[in-house]
Amino acid sequence: MIDLDAVRAQFPALSATTADGTPVVHADAPGGTQVPQQVITAMAGYLEAGNTNTHGFFARSRQTDALCAQVRDQVAAFVEGTPDGVVFGPTMTTLTYHFADALSRQFNAGDRIVCTRLDHDANVSPWLAVAARTGATIDWVDIHDDGALDLSTLRVGPRTRLIAFPGASNALGTVVDPSPLVDAAGSVGALTFMDAVHAAPHVPIAQHDVDVDVVVCSPYK
C-alpha cells in the first residue's frame, strides 16, 4: 500500500495555497509535472557549486561531464536502452523536428510515412513537414470510438520508411501496444518512432524488449 501522504510530502508545490488558504490544484499537465524536493536540491546544488560548459580541461567541467554521463546511464536504464543512444535536447518537439530533418535526407518522392490519428501534434507536424519537403506521402492509422488504434487501417508497403506512433495518448490516455506497429515496420524494413511523453511517467518503456528504434520523452513530465 502506497503512503500517499509521504509521497505528497516530497513535493513542495503540493502544499501551495491561494491567498485565502485554499489548496492549489496543479492541472497544467502540458507545463510538466511538479518537482520533488530531492530534484530541487540536486539542481540548486549544481548551480551553487558553479555552472560550466562541458568538455573543458578544468575540474568543474570534468565534474559536469561525469554528471551528464551518470544521467545518461540513468535514462538508459529507465527506458531499457543503451547510454550511447541517449540524446538530450530542449523538448521532445524540438528533438523530433531535428531527427525528422536529418532523416528526410534519405527520403524521396513516393516514399511513405505512417502516422496515427491518436498522436500529439509533436509527432505529426514534423513528418508532415518532411512529406511536404520531399514529396513523401503520409498514411494514416485511424482510431476506434473507444480511442484505440484501428489497426485494420495500418498499411505498409515497400516504400514505407517510418511508422510514427504514441506510447499513450495525451488526450485520451489510451495506452498503445507497440508490437503490431513494430512488426509491420519490420516486415518492410521501416523505422519506428514512438512518442513516449505521456507513457513514460506511467508504464515501462522497455525499448529493447519492444524493439522500437527511437523513443522520445520529456523528463520534466
Side-chain angles (χ1 to χ4, degrees), residues 65-116:
D65 290 338
L67 178 61
C68 289
Q70 176 188 343
V71 175
R72 185 170 280 107
D73 288 341
Q74 292 171 330
V75 172
F78 180 72
V79 300
E80 297 187 25
T82 57
D84 59 357
V86 174
V87 176
F88 299 122
T91 65
M92 172 268 172
T93 303
T94 300
L95 285 175
T96 302
Y97 269 107
H98 287 326
F99 180 82
D101 181 62
L103 192 64
S104 70
R105 300 165 198 176
Q106 303 177 27
F107 282 58
N108 298 297
D111 287 342
R112 309 189 79 87
I113 303 169
V114 176
C115 294
T116 82

Side-chain angles (χ1 to χ4, degrees), residues 177-179 182 192 194 204-213 215:
D177 177 7
S179 299
V182 170
T192 47
M194 183 171 77
I205 301 302
Q207 183 179 7
H208 281 171
D209 290 345
V210 299
D211 206 24
V212 175
D213 294 303
V215 173

